Amino acid sequence: MSKVPPGPTPGFLVWRLANKWRVAVDRAVAPLGLTHAQYVLVASLRGMQRTGERPSQRRLADHTGLEALYVSKLARALESAGLIERTRDPRDPRAVQLALTEQGQAVTRQAVAVVQELLQQLLEPLGGLDAPRTRAFADELTTLLNVPLTPSVTNDESTQGTTP
């Protein structure tokens, strides 16, 4: 049986850091009329468009790690705000392609600048955005994100109501 180390677990720390970041970004992009989730969508869309891609909602969901249904909801709100346009994919009538409007490009440029400044602030204890410690931290996070999530225990009657 493994011994539980004292102090917060890595999972708890990741959760706390993710929440701290979400709240900070929410506050930073609110004056631009965006939420953190909307920012993730428009910033990702901007990056994909810069490489010549006009992604579908599904592709953007896969890219961001957000649920497809949530991306659809966010895309509708961003479309209503005039920041993106949603069009049917000519190759697949079931798919919806997304693109930033001119207004969306302008707002996204501002939001990216604000979030970059925030990121610099958050990473200052590691030496800043371009520091070796920051690159190593990003590599470690990427390693963890690349691990597929597969349940280690099946959800059957013998495990119902127990805590892992």
Side-chain angles (χ1 to χ4, degrees):
M1 184 169 203
S2 67
K3 201 167 140 183
V4 177
T9 65
F12 179 74
L13 294 172
V14 167
W15 178 77
R16 288 279 317 271
L17 183 60
N19 279 310
K20 179 181 180 177
W21 180 247
R22 184 192 49 78
V23 167
V25 173
D26 266 335
R27 289 179 182 154
V29 299
L32 298 170
L34 296 173
T35 64
H36 180 255
Q38 290 172 330
Y39 167 76
V40 167
L41 217 66
V42 296
S44 295
L45 186 53
R46 177 179 185 237
M48 295 169 94
Q49 279 186 220
R50 292 174 91 177
T51 65
E53 190 174 349
R54 185 175 174 130
S56 66
Q57 287 182 171
R58 164 56 68 191
R59 170 81 178 94
L60 194 55
D62 292 344
H63 177 79
T64 60
L66 296 171
E67 292 292 326
L69 194 57
Y70 189 45
V71 168
S72 177
K73 179 182 173 184
L74 290 170
R76 288 179 198 279
L78 290 165
E79 182 181 41
S80 293
L83 302 180
I84 68 168
E85 59 184 21
R86 300 168 66 245
T87 57
R88 291 278 170 209
D89 184 335
R91 296 165 304 204
D92 181 356
R94 297 169 297 158
V96 176
Q97 290 181 317
L98 304 174
L100 290 170
T101 62
E102 282 188 39
Q103 179 187 358
Q105 290 173 19
V107 168
T108 302
R109 262 192 309 277
Q110 290 177 288
V112 167
V114 166
V115 172
Q116 281 297 109
E117 196 173 302
L118 186 62
L119 187 56
Q120 181 66 33
Q121 217 177 18
L122 177 69
L123 294 171
E124 198 56 46
L126 299 180
L129 195 53
D130 297 320
R133 283 182 68 197
T134 300
R135 284 191 295 278
F137 179 60
D139 289 345
E140 297 291 351
L141 291 172
T142 301
T143 298
L144 294 174
L145 286 168
N146 287 335
V147 174
L149 291 179
T150 54
S152 58
V153 178
T154 58
N155 191 15
D156 61 21
E157 291 176 16
S158 67
T159 61
Q160 299 265 332
T162 62
T163 304

